[in-house]
Amino acid sequence: MAEPATTGRATTRRCFLTAAGAAGLAAALTACGGGDDSSSAAPSRSGGSDQSGGGAGMELAKTSDIPEGGGKVFKDHEIVVTQPKVGEFKAFSSVCPHAGNPVGDVSGGTINCPFHGSKFSITDGSVKAGPATKPLPSAEIEVKGGTISMA
């Protein structure tokens, strides 16, 4: 009869250690990936349709301010404007869909998030390097003459 008590105690320790390990793993995963849940809020805050409401027609930059193969982040408007090819301008939300942080800059042909290292294409906003798994939502701009404005 003493043997079942020892086995019960070992099982209890084993269960405790397993539960503690699972809790630690859950905490680590939540800290690293919990921001993805907030990504559903990012498009509503900074997607093309919301931006066109408050700043429609507001001038962002001159076309000469946006380098070919690069771009510029407009933090106050939560938008990034890129020029993948000469005369071709694209716009995306500047809010990283991974954790909702603002992207930092545009260099090396990508839009770069300094918080966790995600990189997005300047052509279509697609993910080039994670941890982000969703692309940057596109935003509406208007290019007239040498001026880029919010649509």
Side-chain angles (χ1 to χ4, degrees):
M1 238 188 196
E3 195 173 315
T6 304
T7 305
R9 194 178 309 170
T11 301
T12 302
R13 265 189 234 126
R14 195 173 298 132
C15 287
F16 174 77
L17 292 174
T18 301
L25 179 61
L29 290 175
T30 299
C32 291
D36 274 345
D37 292 340
S38 69
S39 67
S40 61
S44 65
R45 238 182 28 225
S46 57
S49 61
D50 283 359
Q51 289 180 7
S52 64
M58 185 165 71
E59 183 178 322
L60 289 171
K62 300 291 183 195
T63 55
S64 58
D65 295 337
I66 311 299
E68 179 190 350
K72 185 174 180 181
V73 178
F74 298 91
K75 292 182 183 188
D76 292 344
H77 304 291
E78 294 186 334
I79 192 170
V80 57
V81 177
T82 65
Q83 184 178 190
K85 296 185 224 172
V86 176
E88 178 186 355
F89 296 91
K90 304 281 185 166
F92 307 96
S93 167
S94 66
V95 179
C96 180
H98 169 247
N101 296 312
V103 298
D105 70 344
V106 182
S107 62
T110 57
I111 302 164
N112 309 302
C113 181
F115 292 92
H116 300 108
S118 293
K119 296 180 181 290
F120 305 90
S121 167
I122 63 170
T123 303
D124 59 8
S126 63
V127 177
K128 293 294 185 184
T133 58
K134 297 177 183 174
L136 291 175
S138 62
E140 296 294 321
I141 56 170
E142 185 174 27
V143 181
K144 277 190 180 175
T147 303
I148 300 170
S149 303
M150 295 181 72

